[in-house]
Amino acid sequence: MKNVLSVFCAVSIGLVSHVTLAADQTHWGYSGDTGPNHWGTLAPDFTTCAKGVNQSPINLTGMVKGELPKLNIQYQAGGTEVLNNGHTIEVVYGKGSRINIENEQFDLKQLHFHSPSENTIEGESFPMEVHFVNADKAGHLAVVGVMFKEGAYNPELEKIWNSMPKKVGQEVALSAAVNINKLLPKQDKYYRFNGSLTTPPCTEGVQWFVMKEPITASKAQIKQFSQLFPHGNNRPVQSVNARMIIQ
C-alpha cells in the first residue's frame, strides 16, 4: 500500500502560489465565459483544466481502507498578511510551520478559503473549506483540506476576518497572530488522494489530505466571506477516473 501512496508527480515550486503568473495574466473566474467550464480554453497553459485526468476537487466516495501514515502537523501561530487576490482570501505564511509525511517535510506557504466547499464527502457539500498549501524543497505540493460546518463562532477564524480586505489586490497586515492549529479538527483522521490545483493552470501531481472531521464557523462568519464572492469561489467536483481515495 505504501508504494501506491507514494506515486505522485512532481510540481514546480512556482506553483506554491495559489494563483500563478500565467493565471495572473489571464482573466478567469467562477461564472460566465471565464468560469470553470471554460478554463481549459482561456490560455495554452490552462489546457490541463480540460484534459487532465487527476483533477481536483472531487467527491470523496468509494474509499479504500489502507494503513495511512500519521499526518504530523507542526504549524505555528503566525501569518504575515491577508490578501484578496480576486479569487479567494489568502493568508501568507513565513518559515517555521510544516507537515511531515513519511519522513518528508512540507513547509506551509499559505492558506486560503472556498465557499461553498470544493471537495465533497459522500455527496455532501459544506458551506466553506480551507486549504493549507505546503511545499517541500523540490516544489512538490501537499494540500490539507478542512471543511467548515455552520455552528459555533470561531474566534481564530475571526482573527483573519478582522483583517480581511474587501478590495481586489489589497493586502492587509494581520493584527494578531493566528494559531492555525485551532483551524484543524481535534481528530487527525483523513482521506488521501492524488489531485491537482483547483484553480488555473490546474496542474496535477498534488497530494491531497482532506480531514474527515469538520470544524465550525458561525452563520455570520460564513456570510462575511461568501459576500465577497457572490457567485461562489469553488470549482465543481471533477471525475475521479482511476484514482483511489484512501482512508
Side-chain angles (χ1 to χ4, degrees):
M1 183 62 67
K2 183 176 180 180
N3 290 336
V4 173
L5 295 176
S6 300
V7 180
F8 294 100
C9 300
V11 204
S12 166
I13 190 67
L15 297 177
V16 169
S17 292
H18 184 60
V19 181
T20 64
L21 179 61
D24 283 337
Q25 294 174 341
T26 302
H27 177 67
W28 59 271
Y30 288 97
S31 62
D33 293 340
T34 60
N37 290 337
H38 302 280
W39 287 352
T41 63
L42 296 178
D45 290 341
F46 293 2
T47 55
T48 303
C49 297
K51 297 182 179 180
V53 295
N54 291 325
Q55 290 289 287
S56 295
I58 61 172
N59 175 39
L60 287 91
T61 189
M63 292 72 152
V64 176
K65 290 187 177 181
E67 295 183 7
L68 289 175
K70 178 178 176 58
L71 195 57
N72 186 6
I73 298 176
Q74 301 174 17
Y75 288 161
Q76 298 181 1
T80 55
E81 63 265 346
V82 185
L83 166 67
N84 181 337
N85 62 22
H87 305 297
T88 188
I89 295 298
E90 178 181 308
V91 180
V92 181
Y93 260 74
K95 295 181 179 180
S97 293
R98 64 186 63 87
I99 61 175
N100 288 285
I101 310 159
E102 297 172 335
N103 297 319
E104 295 183 30
Q105 178 176 307
F106 295 78
D107 295 317
L108 177 66
K109 300 300 180 179
Q110 51 101 332
L111 60 95
H112 61 266
F113 299 85
H114 296 274
S115 180
S117 69
E118 294 203 298
N119 295 291
T120 61
I121 300 176
E122 299 290 6
E124 180 182 1
S125 175
F126 293 79
M128 196 163 66
E129 181 177 0
V130 59
H131 292 160
F132 299 88
V133 181
N134 310 270
D136 69 10
K137 291 181 179 180
H140 306 158
L141 299 185
V143 179
V144 177
V146 178
M147 304 297 184
F148 285 86
K149 64 180 181 179
E150 185 180 315
Y153 169 84
N154 191 313
E156 214 62 33
L157 181 67
E158 193 67 16
K159 293 180 181 179
I160 301 172
W161 272 203
N162 284 337
S163 299
M164 183 163 59
K166 296 181 180 179
K167 294 181 179 180
V168 175
Q170 184 180 11
E171 291 186 33
V172 177
L174 276 168
S175 57
V178 179
N179 183 357
I180 53 176
N181 291 295
K182 294 184 179 180
L183 296 179
L184 295 167
K186 294 180 180 180
Q187 298 292 327
D188 60 1
K189 303 299 183 182
Y190 64 90
Y191 305 106
R192 183 173 182 172
F193 63 94
N194 188 22
S196 73
L197 300 177
T198 66
T199 60
C202 308
T203 307
E204 297 183 342
V206 178
Q207 298 188 52
W208 276 87
F209 305 85
V210 175
M211 307 306 289
K212 290 185 176 183
E213 182 185 4
I215 61 175
T216 64
S218 70
K219 182 177 180 178
Q221 287 178 308
I222 294 168
K223 183 178 180 180
Q224 185 178 349
F225 177 82
S226 62
Q227 283 181 328
L228 291 179
F229 307 97
H231 298 292
N233 71 330
N234 64 317
R235 186 188 192 190
V237 294
Q238 305 295 300
S239 297
V240 175
N241 295 320
R243 285 176 283 178
M244 286 193 299
I245 304 167
I246 304 167
Q247 65 174 345

